[in-house]
Amino acid sequence: PSLSAQLALIRAVLPATNRVGMLVSNSDDASWLRVFKQYAAEQSIEVRVQVVDKARIARQVSELAASTDVLLAQPDTDVYNRESIRFILLAAYRQNKVLIGPSPAFVNAGALATLYAPANVVADEVAQKIRYFLKNNKLPPASRVKNLSVSLNAQVAKSLGLSVPAMNELERLLRLEELPTWP
């Protein structure tokens, strides 16, 4: 899902969110980050970014969590991986902050929620693209899957004292078709 869709999920789960923290692996190609920060600012949300130093990741997460309402993870395997997720989740939890995304596997590990494209939806999208190609002899325009599902860790919500809507209610609340596909 796009970061704008994940931001919509944050607003649905935690409506009082004003500051979102993000860990990034580097700031060399920050064009996507500038676009997202601008989009978030239009939604009255400040995005605070921390470039990760793997030797200090737990402290960096704690500092970022202390100055934000929620942490948003993007699919960056340099930051969010098997070796680091435990440190990230524990540091956020110690600050009584939640992590959103980047996949259902992270929700199972202790993140609060994420949006994801179920395998059958992805397969349908691929089939549509193949049919388009066979009919038109060219690739269709690039697009994102908009039929997303919510993965929610109710145990994390309960342990942090959060009352969050049920997954089906969240999916109903999210108007993903109205969101930009980028960022």
Side-chain angles (χ1 to χ4, degrees), residues 1-6 32-33 35-37 39-40 144 180-183:
S2 67
L3 290 173
S4 57
Q6 294 285 41
W32 67 270
L33 191 54
V35 171
F36 178 63
K37 287 176 84 170
Y39 174 79
R144 286 191 183 262
T181 57
W182 177 259

Side-chain angles (χ1 to χ4, degrees), residues 54-92:
K54 292 181 183 177
R56 300 182 50 239
I57 194 164
R59 174 160 305 281
Q60 288 179 313
V61 172
S62 293
E63 291 169 357
L64 188 60
S67 67
T68 59
D69 302 318
V70 62
L71 299 175
L72 173 59
Q74 76 284 1
D76 181 346
T77 56
D78 288 338
V79 177
Y80 301 97
N81 56 53
R82 227 173 251 256
E83 292 79 37
S84 66
I85 192 60
R86 188 173 130 242
F87 297 114
I88 293 169
L89 288 168
L90 287 173

Side-chain angles (χ1 to χ4, degrees), residues 111-134:
L112 176 64
T114 193
L115 289 170
Y116 70 99
N120 64 321
V121 171
V122 173
D124 288 346
E125 290 278 329
V126 170
Q128 287 176 14
K129 303 250 186 240
I130 291 171
R131 283 192 294 275
Y132 181 93
F133 178 78
L134 293 173

